[in-house]
Amino acid sequence: MFEYSRWSEPFMKQKETENQTVTRRKPRQERSQEKVALMFEAAMQLLEEGDLRSLSTNAVAAKAGISIGTLYQYFDGKDALLDALVARELGQMSTRILTPLEQEAQKKAAGATAEERTRAVVRAALSTYGGRSRVHRLLIQHAMNRPPGHHLTSMYARLIEMFQSPPESGAAPAARALNAAEAFVITYAMAGVLRSYSQAEEPPPQAALEDALVSLVLGFLARISAEA
């Protein structure tokens, strides 16, 4: 967004060094939280129009209507800002995916079928990944390139744990809990589809993808049931 001549590089490097030594503020107060929210929203709007490479702290500050100094009070650079934004956005995505899964698990005794439970989870996941898809695609890309890995690891771990939980009585088609390998495979098979869906420039219709993903999960569970 902003370009600097080669004569300004020494100054910018010095400025970056100074910024790295500053103790960052924690957005505890409401006013501080509002500033951070403004920065996050500005970054997301810029990502909707551009890409990770073109995003800059100067552009975010200008878009948010704050000074660059204010931004550096909270973040020591673009990567730190994006890391925090990833944690917020993907954390919310995880919650939106896991909540219906846990709710549907509680409905087993009420007679919900395996397909109904699976479809509810798949629909929630696709809706989450499909919302603001360009921004989420870029955030996932950023997260995958940052150590120690992306911010969806905890969600995948929770899904694996839930797949290994003992099934309720009569909860066909699965006649037993999945073992660790089976739970890992089905979780990351779903995750791979969702990640590709979020990154695709021209993804298939959501309804068709929902049907296909539900069939994938149910087919896998049916095979396990037949072998039990």
Side-chain angles (χ1 to χ4, degrees), residues 23-172:
T23 301
R24 304 300 158 198
R25 296 176 59 182
K26 300 290 186 181
R28 294 188 177 92
Q29 297 182 349
E30 183 177 351
R31 186 176 179 182
S32 295
Q33 293 173 349
E34 290 175 353
K35 288 181 181 178
V36 171
L38 283 173
M39 287 183 262
F40 283 164
E41 181 58 30
M44 294 181 75
Q45 290 181 14
L46 290 168
L47 288 174
E48 285 180 338
E49 304 164 0
D51 54 31
L52 290 170
R53 187 172 183 178
S54 65
L55 185 73
S56 71
T57 52
N58 286 283
V60 171
K63 187 81 169 178
I66 61 173
S67 69
I68 188 65
T70 297
L71 184 148
Y72 275 105
Q73 289 179 358
Y74 298 93
F75 306 106
D76 62 11
K78 182 174 79 171
D79 283 341
L81 172 62
L82 285 172
D83 286 345
L85 181 55
V86 164
R88 187 192 75 165
E89 288 298 304
L90 300 194
Q92 291 176 355
M93 289 168 65
S94 298
T95 298
R96 289 194 291 270
I97 292 171
L98 285 175
T99 297
L101 181 61
E102 293 169 340
Q103 290 175 341
E104 289 301 317
Q106 296 173 0
K107 294 180 181 179
K108 287 181 178 179
T113 66
E115 179 174 352
E116 290 170 339
R117 294 192 300 273
T118 302
R119 188 171 295 279
V121 175
V122 169
R123 184 169 296 166
L126 289 175
S127 298
T128 298
Y129 273 72
R132 213 161 190 174
S133 57
R134 175 174 173 77
V135 175
H136 286 159
R137 180 172 68 248
L138 293 173
L139 291 179
I140 291 172
Q141 177 183 334
H142 172 80
M144 295 294 287
N145 292 326
R146 296 284 286 172
H150 56 83
H151 293 257
L152 293 175
T153 302
S154 60
M155 183 190 78
Y156 296 152
R158 179 65 182 129
L159 285 171
I160 290 172
E161 177 186 336
M162 295 181 76
F163 275 125
Q164 293 183 84
S165 299
E168 296 289 337
S169 177

